[in-house]
Amino acid sequence: MPSLSVVVPATDRPVTLPRCLDALRAAGAAQVVVVDSPHRLPVCDARNSGAARAGGEIVVFVDADVEVHPDALERIRAAFAADPGLTALFGSYDDAPSRGGPVAAFRNLLHHHVHQSSPGPARTFWSGLGAVRRDVFLAAGGFDAARFPLPSVEDVDLGARLTAAGARIELDPAIQGTHLKAWTLRSMVVTDFARRGVPWVALQLRSGGHGSAVLNLGWRHRVSALASLAAVLGVAARRPWVSAAAVGVLLGLNQEFYRLLARRRGPGEAALGVGLHALHHLTAIASVPFGIAAHLRERRR
């Protein structure tokens, strides 16, 4: 069985770190590298530093606000042992987020639903609960700390670089952890726009669209984004039938997710989730021109 080292970036001194470490001990972690200094060290540098210090063949990245399930590390170890050609592997949040109100529940359950619906080969990576062969990670230069000084799409970028070089990555939804982050409406919009939407568009332009149809970027999600935009335009144009039809499309395409919200949070929060989902898509659309501008600025530099 391959040896594992867990790397936890914690230079922002998160209050969730003790729960994260307790869960890793319960999961049988043999080596946990907590990078907690210097204070406010960027997350890419923290992860790269931890991977350099790790002694295991496999580096498991776990965010400091994630409680891994008791079987998570064993599942990771078994997957790499069974498949010597596997380069990287990542899992999913579970469906029981433990902090925050309706916005936090929506956001964490959306992540859970997307990852649970997309098992198998992937062209991306997720550093919230993801593992990679240490030698391949170091050879690839790790996370791009120069391009991503703040938490962003650095893991998506890593996955794109690895797969472009011929690596094989898998998403195993059975590898799960509980997310402890208490999302707010403001943090959701800022993250979707500035931390993910804009840099993701720039990444796609830079890489020629490699990995552009993975996870929450498939056709269903793109049509949902267009339906969200049509609903808003219908209201602005005083065409209620356009808005009604667009909402119907959104409901039809995402009925499984809304059912999950209803089961876990009740019908009231499921209804609220439809609006939050539309806002999520609209924020992504708004990030497109800014992402193009960011890419052009980078090219000029």
Side-chain angles (χ1 to χ4, degrees):
M1 298 291 276
S3 55
L4 304 184
S5 294
V6 180
V7 172
V8 180
T11 59
D12 57 348
R13 315 282 170 83
V15 297
T16 56
L17 180 60
R19 292 179 60 178
C20 170
L21 298 181
D22 286 345
L24 288 170
R25 283 190 285 269
Q31 182 190 31
V32 179
V33 180
V34 179
V35 184
D36 56 4
S37 63
H39 186 45
R40 296 293 179 184
L41 179 72
V43 68
C44 287
D45 289 314
R47 292 195 187 109
N48 291 343
S49 172
R53 291 156 49 190
E57 302 165 64
I58 309 297
V59 177
V60 184
F61 295 103
V62 177
D63 282 349
D65 59 3
V66 172
E67 283 183 315
V68 300
H69 284 196
D71 63 346
L73 299 184
E74 187 55 40
R75 286 182 178 275
I76 290 172
R77 185 181 290 107
F80 281 101
D83 188 351
L86 181 64
T87 302
L89 176 73
F90 62 96
S92 166
Y93 293 143
D94 63 19
D95 63 350
S98 64
R99 299 182 71 216
V103 175
F106 160 79
R107 189 54 188 243
N108 291 322
L109 288 173
L110 177 61
H111 178 284
H112 170 82
H113 172 72
V114 170
H115 281 225
Q116 293 296 307
S117 304
S118 310
R123 289 179 288 171
T124 186
F125 185 66
W126 178 52
S127 55
L129 177 51
V132 59
R133 294 191 184 274
R134 182 175 180 272
D135 58 346
V136 177
F137 176 80
L138 295 178
F143 294 101
D144 191 340
R147 181 167 275 126
F148 304 106
L150 297 174
S152 182
V153 294
E154 68 279 356
D155 44 6
V156 179
D157 170 74
L158 175 65
R161 286 189 282 119
L162 290 177
T163 53
R168 187 156 57 80
I169 303 175
E170 293 277 334
L171 192 171
D172 182 355
I175 299 169
Q176 295 187 25
T178 302
H179 197 201
L180 306 176
K181 181 173 180 175
W183 287 90
T184 65
L185 184 61
R186 182 182 183 280
S187 66
M188 182 185 107
V189 172
V190 169
T191 297
D192 282 344
F193 179 78
R195 297 289 183 88
R196 294 183 184 167
V198 172
W200 180 83
V201 172
L203 171 61
Q204 293 309 305
L205 293 172
R206 185 170 63 250
S207 65
H210 183 78
S212 61
V214 296
L215 294 182
N216 57 340
L217 307 171
W219 71 268
R220 187 186 304 273
H221 307 281
R222 299 181 189 211
V223 175
S224 295
L226 292 175
S228 301
L229 179 61
V232 173
L233 294 177
V235 172
R238 298 182 180 180
R239 297 290 189 273
W241 63 270
V242 172
S243 297
V247 171
V249 170
L250 187 65
L251 291 171
L253 288 174
N254 301 283
Q255 54 184 303
E256 291 185 9
F257 172 53
Y258 300 142
R259 288 197 189 105
L260 171 64
L261 275 174
R263 287 196 306 271
R264 300 300 298 171
R265 305 291 296 186
E269 288 198 21
L272 176 62
V274 177
L276 292 172
H277 204 194
L279 177 61
H280 168 71
H281 288 306
L282 291 170
T283 306
I285 290 174
S287 69
V288 172
F290 291 90
I292 294 172
H295 174 66
L296 294 176
R297 284 196 302 271
E298 183 177 2
R299 288 189 61 182
R300 285 196 295 269
R301 287 197 297 268

